[in-house]
């Protein structure tokens, strides 16, 4: 059982989402699997997260592009979609209830993930009530990856070496990989200014109104 209480705005909650879809056309394709992990601002998960596979008709799955047919077939997702008892509406409601349980305040949770703007487009259409509960801001790890590639190429190379396993393209595994990647970037390229300021300011400085700046 989790030791966390529901998160508030000041906890910096991040709602990590990953979806597997029938394709990348958000106007015509659809979500077939979704996973959510909620962390605080320090990237500490409140629990193990949730993952749902949506019942999807065979004719929809048969009309996927070649990449999706091969990948979702190899991962077992296609078969699971055919056998799932959960409708799109049920999954959408379950996801909303889960997020609201951990982050009751509307707008406090920030959507996070890798290339999560793509997931957001699908959710804006297919799960609008979920998106209405979240902030209009997002944390996209792919943005940091691209900046790192341009400004810190040696660190980017370390990240490539760190991620040696083949991507499973299953939602919950992909979220965990995204959180681990952001932790890696935080350790390698983000200077802990707050900690340095706290260490550099003594109690005597505080009494005299001085700061470490």
């Amino acid at each position: 059982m989790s030791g966390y209480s529901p998160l508030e705005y000041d906890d910096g909650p991040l709602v990590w989402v990953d979806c597997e879809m029938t394709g990348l056309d958000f106007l015509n394709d659809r979500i077939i699997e979704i996973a959510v992990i909620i962390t605080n601002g320090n990237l500490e998960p409140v629990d193990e997260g949730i993952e749902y596979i949506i019942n999807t008709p065979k004719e929809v799955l048969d009309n996927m592009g070649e990449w999706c047919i091969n990948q979702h077939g190899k991962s077992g997702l296609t078969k699971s979609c055919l056998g799932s008892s959960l409708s799109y509406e049920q999954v959408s409601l379950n996801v909303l209830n889960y997020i609201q349980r951990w982050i009751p305040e509307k707008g406090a949770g920030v959507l996070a993930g890798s290339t999560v703007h793509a997931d957001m487009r699908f959710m804006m259409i297919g799960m609008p009530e979920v998106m209405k509960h979240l902030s209009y801001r997002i944390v996209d790890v792919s943005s940091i990856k691209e900046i790192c590639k341009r400004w810190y190429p040696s660190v980017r190379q370390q990240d490539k070496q760190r991620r040696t396993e083949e991507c499973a393209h299953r939602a919950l595994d992909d979220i965990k990989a995204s959180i681990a990647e952001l932790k890696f970037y935080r350790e390698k390229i983000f200077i802990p200014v707050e900690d340095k300021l706290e260490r550099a300011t003594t109690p005597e400085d505080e009494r005299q109104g001085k700061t470490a700046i």
Side-chain angles (χ1 to χ4, degrees), residues 20 33 68-80 167-170:
E20 298 298 329
E33 181 182 41
C68 288
I69 287 176
N70 291 336
Q71 181 59 50
H72 296 332
K74 181 173 65 175
S75 70
L77 180 55
T78 300
K79 182 178 179 180
S80 296
C167 181
H169 287 290
R170 292 300 299 265

Side-chain angles (χ1 to χ4, degrees), residues 1 12 26 42 47 90 96 99-100 122 176 196 205:
M1 181 178 293
F26 64 94
N42 286 321
D47 62 12
Q90 286 173 306
L96 177 61
I99 294 173
Q100 288 179 330
F122 278 86
K176 292 176 181 178
K196 288 184 177 180
D205 289 335

Side-chain angles (χ1 to χ4, degrees), residues 154-168:
S154 62
V155 175
R156 180 74 183 108
Q157 188 60 38
Q158 292 178 47
D159 182 46
K160 287 182 178 179
Q161 294 170 355
R162 178 185 66 85
R163 296 185 298 117
T164 56
E165 297 182 4
E166 181 184 1
C167 181

Side-chain angles (χ1 to χ4, degrees), residues 7 17 19 37 48-49 51 53 60 67 76 97 100 110 115 121 123-124 139 160 176-177 184-186 193 207 211:
L7 302 178
V17 170
C19 301
I37 293 178
E48 293 299 314
E51 184 175 32
I53 296 171
V60 172
W67 187 93
N97 289 339
Q100 288 179 330
V110 174
T115 320
R121 289 193 185 103
M123 293 173 68
M124 289 288 288
V139 172
K160 287 182 178 179
K176 292 176 181 178
F184 172 83
Y185 291 141
R186 179 176 64 177
V193 176
R207 282 194 291 271
T211 68

